[in-house]
Amino acid sequence: MILLAFLLLTPAALHGQESESLYRGWGLGFQVGVGGMLPTGTLAEEFKGGALFMGGLTGEYRNLRLKADVAYGQPSFKNENPYAVRDDQGRNLQLNGTASTTLLGMGMQVGYTVLRQGRVSVTPNVGFCASRLSWDMNHIKWEKDDEGQNRPKIDDVTGVHENTTGWLASVDIDIRLHGTITDSPVGDGQAHYGSSLRVTPFVTHAGFSNFSPTARGACIGVCVSYAGLMHLFR
């Protein structure tokens, strides 16, 4: 609480708040960071949590914010046969060929800044995301060995891809780090470039109807990123 009060009330923070009145209404920036995610519901029976690497672009107009992000991760499997493909004796005929899947996600969100106080701003966001999981699947063939025992053998390996879309909600908590005046990338004027430490808790929904049984649930996580934003002066 003491640290938050310091960030909200320092003279430098108040000066930065005054200078914002000199900006034009719009700004453009970027964010890049790392985070983590945990599945819930029946998704948690199929996957473990994992790290995420995220990056994207941000556009602002006054208090409105538009964000586009991409995310990459490798969540590990819990279930080695998510499609439940088995023979009449209950033996697996498919097994994951890798311990984890490759996750590639894209999200689009619209937000509104509800708090600007000193160095801190808070922006809730809502939108949607689309994700693609990719991994190798081993197709198993059971054969008898020299001793007459049934042994599994990899008969073929194929690539598997699963897509999902769902809603996405997050809250950007920005803590301003520094600002500087630079030449405008448009025209002959000047611009203000500011950077911040952004902490973003988020939740998104995902579902995979091809799994047996169907896997659905929310994924909750948090991302810590560096965010840069440029505003032209009036």
Side-chain angles (χ1 to χ4, degrees):
M1 293 297 293
I2 296 176
L3 176 60
L4 180 59
F6 174 79
L7 293 172
L8 295 176
L9 299 176
T10 54
L14 297 175
H15 174 73
Q17 197 172 26
E18 292 172 359
S19 66
E20 288 181 357
S21 63
L22 301 176
Y23 303 160
R24 294 182 181 178
W26 58 271
L28 181 65
F30 70 95
Q31 58 275 350
V32 58
V34 297
M37 179 178 64
L38 286 173
T40 66
T42 53
L43 281 178
E45 299 174 7
E46 304 290 338
F47 302 101
K48 301 177 183 178
L52 290 175
F53 300 90
M54 306 179 71
L57 298 176
T58 296
E60 287 190 353
Y61 181 75
R62 298 185 186 276
N63 286 335
L64 290 175
R65 174 175 295 177
L66 177 64
K67 295 202 309 176
D69 291 290
V70 295
Y72 173 84
Q74 291 185 320
S76 300
F77 285 108
K78 281 186 178 179
N79 184 2
E80 62 181 3
N81 186 0
Y83 299 108
V85 179
R86 299 181 176 89
D87 62 15
D88 294 338
Q89 301 179 49
R91 299 177 302 190
N92 290 319
L93 296 180
Q94 285 185 352
L95 291 174
N96 295 325
T98 54
S100 60
T101 178
T102 298
L103 166 66
L104 181 62
M106 301 180 64
M108 184 77 70
Q109 296 180 84
V110 176
Y112 188 86
T113 301
V114 296
L115 172 67
R116 292 186 190 274
Q117 183 65 49
R119 293 183 181 272
V120 178
S121 65
V122 178
T123 307
N125 309 283
V126 293
F128 71 93
C129 68
S131 302
R132 182 180 179 89
L133 298 179
S134 303
W135 71 98
D136 289 336
M137 180 68 72
N138 293 335
H139 298 268
I140 306 301
K141 181 179 180 181
W142 291 83
E143 296 181 343
K144 290 187 177 181
D145 59 17
D146 295 337
E147 298 177 355
Q149 299 293 324
N150 287 317
R151 302 292 184 185
K153 177 182 178 181
I154 297 176
D155 185 52
D156 192 16
V157 179
T158 58
V160 179
H161 306 285
E162 287 285 349
N163 300 314
T164 182
T165 58
W167 52 264
L168 171 64
S170 66
V171 178
D172 291 332
I173 304 171
D174 289 294
I175 302 173
R176 184 185 301 153
L177 299 176
H178 75 279
T180 185
I181 306 300
T182 184
D183 292 333
S184 171
V186 180
D188 299 327
Q190 290 184 314
H192 178 272
Y193 175 80
S195 65
S196 64
L197 175 68
R198 176 173 294 173
V199 181
T200 306
F202 65 88
V203 58
T204 183
H205 183 268
F208 300 97
S209 59
N210 290 331
F211 285 12
S212 181
T214 297
R216 297 186 184 278
C219 296
I220 58 175
V222 64
C223 181
V224 179
S225 57
Y226 172 90
L229 191 67
M230 179 171 288
H231 288 90
L232 298 182
F233 283 109
R234 296 181 185 276

